[in-house]
Amino acid sequence: MNDPALFEQALEGGQEDIAVAAETFKLLGDPTRLKILLACLSEPVAVGDIARKVEASPSLVSHHLRLLRGARLVRRTRKARQMYYEAADHHIEHIVADMIVHAGEHDAMDDADP
């Protein structure tokens, strides 16, 4: 999956892409926001259900969802009078899943250093 040409292109001329990626990581640096995104990965979820899963108020969840939508990390769909949120695409799922796996590997990596 490592594409050196893509990385070189981003370093040379993709300053806007780098800025967007940095802002995305900054946005996901908030634990509540990250939990909200995790709650939206497997299926569309209503705000009230997200709030219960992440143990936050519906108004706080709605605020974070607005930010996540603005960053194109989640999308919403309306069913009757209810709004449902889900990950915007498979890239978001991969980013979050890979970071969670990476976070769980820290002990093994510490032991590998001589």
Side-chain angles (χ1 to χ4, degrees):
M1 174 112 175
N2 292 341
D3 183 353
L6 176 66
F7 300 144
E8 281 297 318
Q9 179 184 359
L11 287 172
E12 289 174 3
Q15 294 304 314
E16 185 175 325
D17 291 343
I18 289 172
V20 169
E23 284 299 316
T24 300
F25 283 116
K26 191 184 308 183
L27 191 65
L28 294 177
D30 180 279
T32 301
R33 225 172 282 147
L34 184 56
K35 286 190 233 177
I36 290 168
L37 186 57
L38 286 166
C40 297
L41 290 183
S42 60
E43 62 184 346
V45 188
V47 173
D49 294 333
I50 295 169
R52 279 188 289 284
K53 285 182 180 183
V54 303
E55 299 177 339
S57 71
S59 62
L60 180 63
V61 169
S62 292
H63 169 72
H64 285 304
L65 285 167
R66 270 192 301 279
L67 296 172
L68 293 169
R69 274 189 63 233
R72 300 178 317 166
L73 297 173
V74 297
R75 63 178 175 218
R76 67 181 180 185
T77 55
R78 181 183 296 276
K79 293 181 184 172
R81 297 176 69 179
Q82 188 79 24
M83 297 301 282
Y84 290 83
Y85 292 84
E86 62 186 321
D89 58 40
H90 69 279
H91 297 110
I92 305 309
E93 294 174 34
H94 288 289
I95 290 168
V96 175
D98 286 348
M99 287 307 296
I100 297 295
V101 169
H102 176 73
E105 293 176 342
H106 65 85
D107 290 336
M109 291 183 70
D110 289 343
D111 294 341
D113 289 341

PDB file of all heavy atoms in Angstrom, residues 106-114:
ATOM      1  N   HIS A 106       1.628  -0.800  20.750  1.00  0.00           N
ATOM      2  CA  HIS A 106       2.729  -0.035  21.347  1.00  0.00           C
ATOM      3  C   HIS A 106       3.610  -0.875  22.263  1.00  0.00           C
ATOM      4  O   HIS A 106       4.814  -0.698  22.291  1.00  0.00           O
ATOM      5  CB  HIS A 106       2.213   1.210  22.071  1.00  0.00           C
ATOM      6  CG  HIS A 106       1.361   0.914  23.261  1.00  0.00           C
ATOM      7  ND1 HIS A 106       1.884   0.663  24.496  1.00  0.00           N
ATOM      8  CD2 HIS A 106       0.023   0.806  23.383  1.00  0.00           C
ATOM      9  CE1 HIS A 106       0.906   0.428  25.343  1.00  0.00           C
ATOM     10  NE2 HIS A 106      -0.235   0.507  24.703  1.00  0.00           N
ATOM     11  N   ASP A 107       3.056  -1.811  23.015  1.00  0.00           N
ATOM     12  CA  ASP A 107       3.884  -2.621  23.909  1.00  0.00           C
ATOM     13  C   ASP A 107       4.831  -3.517  23.123  1.00  0.00           C
ATOM     14  O   ASP A 107       5.999  -3.644  23.472  1.00  0.00           O
ATOM     15  CB  ASP A 107       3.003  -3.484  24.825  1.00  0.00           C
ATOM     16  CG  ASP A 107       2.271  -2.630  25.855  1.00  0.00           C
ATOM     17  OD1 ASP A 107       2.766  -1.524  26.164  1.00  0.00           O
ATOM     18  OD2 ASP A 107       1.224  -3.064  26.318  1.00  0.00           O
ATOM     19  N   ALA A 108       4.334  -4.118  22.051  1.00  0.00           N
ATOM     20  CA  ALA A 108       5.174  -4.998  21.246  1.00  0.00           C
ATOM     21  C   ALA A 108       6.297  -4.207  20.582  1.00  0.00           C
ATOM     22  O   ALA A 108       7.427  -4.682  20.476  1.00  0.00           O
ATOM     23  CB  ALA A 108       4.332  -5.708  20.184  1.00  0.00           C
ATOM     24  N   MET A 109       6.022  -2.985  20.140  1.00  0.00           N
ATOM     25  CA  MET A 109       7.043  -2.171  19.493  1.00  0.00           C
ATOM     26  C   MET A 109       8.105  -1.727  20.493  1.00  0.00           C
ATOM     27  O   MET A 109       9.273  -1.660  20.166  1.00  0.00           O
ATOM     28  CB  MET A 109       6.414  -0.971  18.813  1.00  0.00           C
ATOM     29  CG  MET A 109       5.579  -1.362  17.596  1.00  0.00           C
ATOM     30  SD  MET A 109       4.906   0.065  16.748  1.00  0.00           S
ATOM     31  CE  MET A 109       6.388   0.761  16.048  1.00  0.00           C
ATOM     32  N   ASP A 110       7.714  -1.419  21.717  1.00  0.00           N
ATOM     33  CA  ASP A 110       8.686  -1.017  22.739  1.00  0.00           C
ATOM     34  C   ASP A 110       9.661  -2.138  23.044  1.00  0.00           C
ATOM     35  O   ASP A 110      10.840  -1.904  23.265  1.00  0.00           O
ATOM     36  CB  ASP A 110       7.976  -0.596  24.029  1.00  0.00           C
ATOM     37  CG  ASP A 110       7.257   0.742  23.874  1.00  0.00           C
ATOM     38  OD1 ASP A 110       7.574   1.477  22.919  1.00  0.00           O
ATOM     39  OD2 ASP A 110       6.379   1.044  24.706  1.00  0.00           O
ATOM     40  N   ASP A 111       9.180  -3.372  23.053  1.00  0.00           N
ATOM     41  CA  ASP A 111      10.024  -4.514  23.333  1.00  0.00           C
ATOM     42  C   ASP A 111      10.982  -4.828  22.197  1.00  0.00           C
ATOM     43  O   ASP A 111      12.015  -5.445  22.407  1.00  0.00           O
ATOM     44  CB  ASP A 111       9.163  -5.754  23.618  1.00  0.00           C
ATOM     45  CG  ASP A 111       8.366  -5.602  24.898  1.00  0.00           C
ATOM     46  OD1 ASP A 111       8.740  -4.738  25.734  1.00  0.00           O
ATOM     47  OD2 ASP A 111       7.368  -6.323  25.070  1.00  0.00           O
ATOM     48  N   ALA A 112      10.673  -4.378  20.976  1.00  0.00           N
ATOM     49  CA  ALA A 112      11.489  -4.714  19.811  1.00  0.00           C
ATOM     50  C   ALA A 112      12.780  -3.896  19.726  1.00  0.00           C
ATOM     51  O   ALA A 112      13.711  -4.287  19.071  1.00  0.00           O
ATOM     52  CB  ALA A 112      10.679  -4.520  18.528  1.00  0.00           C
ATOM     53  N   ASP A 113      12.836  -2.767  20.409  1.00  0.00           N
ATOM     54  CA  ASP A 113      14.043  -1.932  20.360  1.00  0.00           C
ATOM     55  C   ASP A 113      15.179  -2.591  21.148  1.00  0.00           C
ATOM     56  O   ASP A 113      14.970  -3.072  22.244  1.00  0.00           O
ATOM     57  CB  ASP A 113      13.767  -0.538  20.935  1.00  0.00           C
ATOM     58  CG  ASP A 113      12.883   0.288  20.037  1.00  0.00           C
ATOM     59  OD1 ASP A 113      12.782  -0.042  18.842  1.00  0.00           O
ATOM     60  OD2 ASP A 113      12.281   1.267  20.525  1.00  0.00           O
ATOM     61  N   PRO A 114      16.408  -2.566  20.579  1.00  0.00           N
ATOM     62  CA  PRO A 114      17.547  -3.159  21.318  1.00  0.00           C
ATOM     63  C   PRO A 114      18.003  -2.305  22.469  1.00  0.00           C
ATOM     64  O   PRO A 114      17.843  -1.184  22.586  1.00  0.00           O
ATOM     65  CB  PRO A 114      18.649  -3.255  20.263  1.00  0.00           C
ATOM     66  CG  PRO A 114      18.235  -2.423  19.106  1.00  0.00           C
ATOM     67  CD  PRO A 114      16.772  -2.127  19.269  1.00  0.00           C
TER      68      PRO A 114
END
